[in-house]
């Protein structure tokens, strides 16, 4: 099976680092023109764009805060003005502000919800509004548009000390499935990916040194994931090879959500 995203345009939010950056590269390798959105990593986003271009791909970098309605609208407008349309949204931006609930500030609660959940809503809504204006190009893709939302195993597994993050990802699950139920008949596919432990900036402390050893006890497959493990699935989910996949969360976690602590207990 050959996966091709030629003649398609992909927008990756939070695309300047980690899973977003690996996905931007993989989408470009599959033939898509890619918009790399960044919040703070302007130089990293520009380097990524150069890397994609020097490999023969098409890409631009666009700054925007996904929790700002105005900036999200400008981001989508710039995407369409650069490449004429949008076929794939990878809503990937996310953040953590950890604290025990008893000590968590309202600001830390609000900020995480605004980026991880409201930001996803704003990007999904903007993508749906764009898809609505486009014709389906059967020769390119059977779908009018594809949305992939980056969730986490913590949409399922509770996470002490990170109630804001877990609540945002739990909310994402029902956001994704409700939107999928709503727009399926328009041939818009909506899915999510729930990564387990992937080595990136968001979890550097937990994935290095001694901490990595205890983390491995939670991963039956016995290794910490790489951003490319997720990027490969992004390309597949965005392609017509996954055309009948709709309203699903794909857990990519080396088995973390199998609750391996119960192997010898419970
Ligand atoms: P990362 O920190 O490298 O990526 C997060 C990206 O989101 C960064 O590029 C950051 O600039 C961007 N971002 C943050 N706030 C933003 C805002 N307001 N507007 C626009 N962009 C913003 O870490 P990552 O691991 O690559 O995370 C990517 C996604 O994967 C996140 O949604 C995260 O919750 C999810 N995830 C990661 C893991 C993991 O183990 N790394 C596990 C589960 C889920």
């Amino acid at each position: 099976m050959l996966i091709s995203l030629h003649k398609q345009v992909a927008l990756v939010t939070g695309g300047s680092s980690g899973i977003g950056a690996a996905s931007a590269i993989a989408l470009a390798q599959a033939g898509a023109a890619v918009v790399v959105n960044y919040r703070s990593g302007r130089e990293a986003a520009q380097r990524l764009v150069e890397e994609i271009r020097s490999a023969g791909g098409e890409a631009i970098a666009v700054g925007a805060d996904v929790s700002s309605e105005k900036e999200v609208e400008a981001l989508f407008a710039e995407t369409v003005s650069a490449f004429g349309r949008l076929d794939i949204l990878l809503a990937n931006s996310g953040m953590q502000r950890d604290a025990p609930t008893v000590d968590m500030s309202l600001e830390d609660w609000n900020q995480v919800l605004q980026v991880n959940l409201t930001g996803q809503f704003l990007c999904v809504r903007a993508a749906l509004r764009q898809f609505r204006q486009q014709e389906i190009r059967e020769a390119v893709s059977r779908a009018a548009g594809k949305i992939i939302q980056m969730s986490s195993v913590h949409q399922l597994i509770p996470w002490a000390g990170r109630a804001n993050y877990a609540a945002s990802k739990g909310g994402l699950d029902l956001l994704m499935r409700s939107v999928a139920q709503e727009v399926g008949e328009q041939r818009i596919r909506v899915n999510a990916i729930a990564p387990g432990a992937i080595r990136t900036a968001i979890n550097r402390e937990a994935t290095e040194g001694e901490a990595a050893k205890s983390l491995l006890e939670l991963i039956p497959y016995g290794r910490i994931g790489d951003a490319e493990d997720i990027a490969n699935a992004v390309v597949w989910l965005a392609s017509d090879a996954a055309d009948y996949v709709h309203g699903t969360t794909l857990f990519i976690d080396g088995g973390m959500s199998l609750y391996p602590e119960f192997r010898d207990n419970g």
Side-chain angles (χ1 to χ4, degrees):
M1 176 187 53
L2 184 66
I3 288 185
S4 168
L5 300 176
H6 280 285
K7 299 194 175 141
Q8 299 195 49
V9 178
L11 166 57
V12 180
T13 70
S16 66
S17 63
I19 291 170
S23 300
I25 289 173
L27 288 162
Q29 283 170 345
V34 180
V35 176
V36 179
N37 157 252
Y38 62 89
R39 167 98 199 267
S40 48
R42 185 166 179 275
E43 283 172 15
Q46 207 47 55
R47 274 198 303 276
L48 197 64
V49 163
E50 293 310 325
E51 187 183 332
I52 291 170
R53 287 181 182 162
S54 60
E58 282 185 276
I60 58 167
V62 181
D65 175 347
V66 296
S67 67
S68 154
E69 185 174 31
K70 221 170 83 186
E71 292 188 30
V72 167
E73 277 165 22
L75 167 65
F76 279 72
E78 206 165 327
T79 298
V80 175
S81 109
F83 294 121
R85 58 183 292 120
L86 177 72
D87 299 281
I88 300 155
L89 166 66
L90 176 60
N92 165 77
S93 293
M95 63 174 299
Q96 286 181 228
R97 286 281 179 276
D98 303 346
T101 306
V102 70
D103 298 323
M104 187 178 287
S105 66
L106 180 59
E107 193 191 342
D108 283 350
W109 171 267
N110 281 339
Q111 204 180 355
V112 169
L113 269 289
Q114 273 162 15
V115 173
N116 295 9
L117 190 55
T118 306
Q120 290 262 349
F121 157 70
L122 291 172
C123 291
V124 166
R125 187 182 68 175
L128 294 177
R129 288 176 175 173
Q130 179 57 34
F131 295 158
R132 190 165 61 181
Q133 299 175 43
Q134 300 175 175
E135 297 288 318
I136 295 179
R137 301 173 300 167
E138 289 280 354
V140 176
S141 175
R142 297 177 74 181
K146 283 85 58 137
I147 294 174
I148 302 168
Q149 299 185 248
M150 199 57 68
S151 183
S152 163
V153 286
H154 296 295
Q155 75 168 44
L156 176 72
I157 304 174
W159 210 14
R162 286 111 179 150
N164 48 0
Y165 183 84
S168 72
K169 297 298 187 179
L172 206 56
D173 176 38
L174 273 169
L175 171 64
M176 183 279 288
R177 290 193 290 137
S178 300
V179 175
Q181 193 188 59
E182 202 173 299
V183 302
E185 64 188 359
Q186 298 163 35
R187 297 264 292 278
I188 296 169
R189 290 198 296 111
V190 188
N191 291 287
I193 291 176
I198 310 296
R199 198 173 267 117
T200 68
I202 211 169
N203 62 9
R204 187 155 288 140
E205 278 171 30
T207 55
E208 284 173 0
E210 280 304 304
K213 283 189 196 154
S214 53
L215 185 58
L216 281 173
E217 287 169 23
L218 301 177
I219 308 172
Y221 198 62
R223 73 170 171 88
I224 291 168
D226 299 313
E228 289 70 24
D229 290 314
I230 306 301
N232 291 336
V234 166
V235 170
W236 174 75
L237 261 182
S239 78
D240 276 12
D243 188 58
Y244 209 50
V245 183
H246 179 57
T248 291
T249 296
L250 185 56
F251 282 75
I252 303 177
D253 63 355
M256 189 179 245
S257 52
L258 299 172
Y259 295 94
E261 318 87 281
F262 278 79
R263 265 180 304 207
D264 310 312
N265 295 300

